Amino acid sequence: MKVVALASDHVGLPLKEALKAHLEARGLAWRDFGTDSAERCDYPRFAYAAVQAVIEGACGCAVLCCGTGAGMAIAANKIPGIRCVVCSEGYTAALSRAHNDANMLALGARVVGPGLAAQIVDRFLDTPYEGGRHQRRLDLIREIELTGLLDGGEGG
Ligand code: RB5
């Protein structure tokens, strides 16, 4: 069973705590990469810690919580191999897995309540990647990620 990496800043902390209880109720394992305090802090540090756990394989995926999810996702997506999506409803969470093989989910504690967040997490965790035609598109993203270019810079 894949371990879910969790991380938040001070704004996302209460949502992260609620999601821990939800994951436990489902029998899913998690690891918390901070913050563990309501003191104001800088979200990129905690996003980065969760990213490392996913890249190294210690965790299969991650759920990040900040005010909107945006800052955490922007920070996480700077690292090659990370596909982090901000979601405020379950449909996008499911499709980000099925079509984009997303490996990190970012949630906004100022946007979604804990009940909706738990539904979004469930859709994210329970939806498999479909592969097939979608893999070609992920390969193109990988090319951009690794080279900064697409098709050698010719576009298309
Ligand atoms: C903190 O005020 C806030 O900027 C942060 O939680 C997050 O929303 C950033 O994207």
Side-chain angles (χ1 to χ4, degrees):
M1 183 181 302
K2 60 186 179 184
V3 178
V4 180
L6 296 173
S8 73
D9 68 356
H10 53 294
V11 181
L13 179 60
L15 181 58
K16 182 178 67 178
E17 295 302 319
L19 290 174
K20 278 181 190 174
H22 178 69
L23 292 174
E24 281 168 14
R26 286 196 48 175
L28 297 173
W30 51 264
R31 276 182 63 186
D32 187 352
F33 292 88
T35 186
D36 59 3
S37 144
E39 193 174 327
R40 188 170 289 139
C41 63
D42 298 328
Y43 57 80
R45 298 187 184 286
F46 303 99
Y48 186 75
V51 160
Q52 291 307 306
V54 172
I55 291 294
E56 290 165 8
C59 294
C61 64
V63 178
L64 309 176
C65 303
C66 63
T68 60
M72 286 286 212
I74 290 168
N77 280 319
K78 296 298 177 192
I79 303 299
I82 294 299
R83 292 174 298 280
C84 183
V85 287
V86 182
C87 294
S88 53
E89 35 71 34
Y91 181 77
T92 303
L95 268 289
S96 75
R97 288 285 312 124
H99 291 188
N100 314 118
D101 198 18
N103 51 14
M104 298 185 81
L105 170 67
L107 298 168
R110 290 172 170 151
V111 182
V112 296
L116 178 55
Q119 285 181 15
I120 295 168
V121 167
D122 286 347
R123 297 293 301 278
F124 186 81
L125 295 180
D126 296 342
T127 306
Y129 174 48
E130 288 177 4
R133 71 186 188 280
H134 303 295
Q135 188 56 47
R136 185 175 69 249
R137 295 151 189 174
L138 290 194
D139 291 344
L140 292 171
I141 292 173
R142 186 73 175 157
E143 185 179 335
I144 296 168
E145 189 173 57
L146 293 177
T147 68
L149 301 170
L150 197 54
D151 299 329
E154 292 168 8

